[in-house]
Amino acid sequence: MKLQQKEITLKEINPQQQTQTEPHLGLVCITIDKQVRFRTITRTRYLKLSPQQREDTLKELYQNNLRCLDGALTFCQKQNIRLYRMTSALFPMSDMEDKIGAKILEEMREDLGKIGQRAENLNIRMVLHPDQFVVLSSDSDEVIENSIKILTNHAYTLDLLGLPQSPWALMNIHGGKSQRSEKLVKVISELPPGIKNRLTLENDEYAYNAQEILEVCQQAGIPMVFDAHHHICYEKLDSYDHPSVESVVLAARETWKNPDWQLVHISNGETGFNDRKHSDLITAMPQAYHQVPWIEVEAKHKEKAIAHLRDWWLIHKN
């Protein structure tokens, strides 16, 4: 049953009602002003190259993207952003059967390690969201095998960066094929530690609602990343402050062995409250999110959306 209450907008939040702990707002992959951009290559184009051309192309591309990753850390440092979601296409073709990309990454191990060490020195948390091809609940063994291959490749990259095998450096995925919770729990339980120890699950607006993902996380022993917008879209709610939002936020926190690492997502609808497409800025927030330590801001205007949230939502101490 929906609560018939008006959506609370940023301007209507009373600063005196806010807690004294400010959540850390996270940047997702790139910046709107093109300061942080990464290059890629398609599989079709890659396969047309000779072995030597592949090596030369990937070496130059990987070095470029590593410099961009370093630039992303510099940007976050200047903007006082302590959470950064890396692109899942940081090192394209590194999982190809020809092993060329993997060989280049191994040769770059020292440089990658320096980036991870810099993130640690700057106290910037780096996380990852693998693409939609990761479906651990599929009814196809081939799809599951490929999904684990993708996760293995991402975990290897995180290892090269020297990031911990823990939810601090999480890899966040969705539940995948609906009504297969038991299969999802089973597959997760059999994952190698380098993957499972970093894995988190997020509720979505189609297949797995918040309660279902919460139960999977509880059974699998991994953390839940709550997405308030997916929740209101799935449940067709009219407010981020429906009681179920705070209830799931608190329940999800219990799945984190370290509650100080709890991470949630926020986005707003582009054309309306329940529109699944993301808006440019965030103009409405759950009151319950004042209680969480880390928030990924999934808005089209990236750092501008973060600045907007800081202006209208977070506490100003000056």
Side-chain angles (χ1 to χ4, degrees):
M1 181 177 179
K2 298 180 182 178
L3 286 185
Q4 299 300 318
Q5 62 186 81
K6 188 178 75 169
E7 172 189 342
I8 297 179
T9 62
L10 300 177
K11 294 183 180 181
E12 293 170 334
I13 295 175
N14 183 351
Q16 294 180 348
Q17 294 177 344
Q18 297 178 343
T19 65
Q20 293 302 304
T21 301
E22 297 182 8
H24 299 296
L25 305 179
L27 176 67
V28 175
C29 299
I30 62 174
T31 54
I32 189 67
D33 64 1
K34 298 184 180 181
Q35 287 191 55
V36 179
R37 284 289 189 275
F38 298 91
R39 288 168 46 196
T40 190
I41 183 173
T42 65
R43 182 184 178 91
T44 300
R45 180 187 164 205
Y46 180 78
L47 292 176
K48 291 179 180 179
L49 302 176
S50 69
Q52 186 60 54
Q53 288 174 323
R54 292 179 184 182
E55 182 173 352
D56 293 342
T57 298
L58 289 188
K59 184 174 295 186
E60 197 276 329
L61 192 155
Y62 289 3
Q63 289 173 345
N64 174 83
N65 282 1
L66 194 60
R67 288 193 297 270
C68 289
L69 183 59
D70 188 49
L73 291 179
T74 298
F75 180 87
C76 289
Q77 178 191 23
K78 292 179 178 178
Q79 299 295 322
N80 193 29
I81 295 172
R82 286 196 47 217
L83 174 65
Y84 177 64
R85 183 202 289 182
M86 294 177 284
T87 173
S88 61
L90 187 61
F91 301 118
M93 307 299 132
S94 61
D95 61 347
M96 292 291 287
E97 293 78 6
D98 59 19
K99 305 295 183 182
I100 293 175
K103 174 177 174 290
I104 294 171
L105 284 182
E106 183 60 39
E107 293 171 351
M108 295 171 61
R109 175 183 287 271
E110 184 176 351
D111 291 333
L112 274 99
K114 290 178 180 178
I115 297 295
Q117 184 61 55
R118 184 169 184 236
E120 182 179 345
N121 293 341
L122 294 174
N123 204 18
I124 295 175
R125 183 180 183 182
M126 300 174 75
V127 300
L128 193 63
H129 197 327
D131 59 36
Q132 70 274 15
F133 298 111
V134 175
V135 183
L136 297 181
S137 58
S138 175
D139 50 13
S140 165
D141 290 340
E142 183 179 353
V143 170
I144 293 176
E145 182 179 343
N146 186 61
S147 298
I148 295 175
K149 178 183 176 182
I150 293 172
L151 291 175
T152 300
N153 190 55
H154 285 314
Y156 176 61
T157 299
L158 296 178
D159 286 341
L160 288 176
L161 287 166
L163 299 180
Q165 293 187 3
S166 74
W168 174 261
L170 63 82
M171 297 190 296
N172 183 57
I173 64 173
H174 293 278
K177 191 172 179 63
S178 63
Q179 299 181 339
R180 290 180 64 83
S181 294
E182 291 185 9
K183 179 70 172 181
L184 186 54
V185 171
K186 181 177 185 299
V187 172
I188 291 173
S189 69
E190 297 172 350
L191 292 172
I195 297 175
K196 184 181 177 183
N197 291 345
R198 291 177 170 125
L199 198 67
T200 62
L201 285 179
E202 173 187 354
N203 59 297
D204 63 73
E205 65 268 61
Y206 299 109
Y208 286 90
N209 64 27
Q211 184 61 39
E212 289 170 325
I213 283 296
L214 174 64
E215 292 174 0
V216 169
C217 288
Q218 290 169 337
Q219 295 172 36
I222 64 173
M224 174 183 175
V225 172
F226 177 61
D227 188 304
H229 195 66
H230 288 168
H231 178 65
I232 63 99
C233 287
Y234 188 103
E235 304 294 346
K236 297 180 172 58
L237 305 179
D238 58 9
S239 171
Y240 284 124
D241 292 317
H242 186 277
S244 62
V245 173
E246 182 175 23
S247 176
V248 180
V249 166
L250 296 177
R253 178 176 302 161
E254 296 299 314
T255 65
W256 292 78
K257 292 182 180 179
N258 186 340
D260 293 337
W261 292 358
Q262 183 187 16
L263 184 144
V264 299
H265 290 176
I266 188 61
S267 56
N268 289 168
E270 183 178 46
T271 61
F273 187 67
N274 294 103
D275 184 4
R276 292 179 172 88
K277 295 181 180 178
H278 292 176
S279 59
D280 293 340
L281 301 174
I282 303 298
T283 56
M285 288 283 284
Q287 287 281 19
Y289 272 18
H290 285 297
Q291 305 176 50
V292 301
W294 302 88
I295 303 173
E296 277 189 30
V297 180
E298 297 184 317
K300 292 180 181 178
H301 280 184
K302 306 292 183 175
E303 72 277 11
K304 290 184 179 179
I306 292 175
H308 180 69
L309 273 177
R310 285 174 170 166
D311 285 343
W312 292 107
W313 192 63
L314 292 180
I315 302 171
H316 283 276
K317 296 181 179 179
N318 296 332

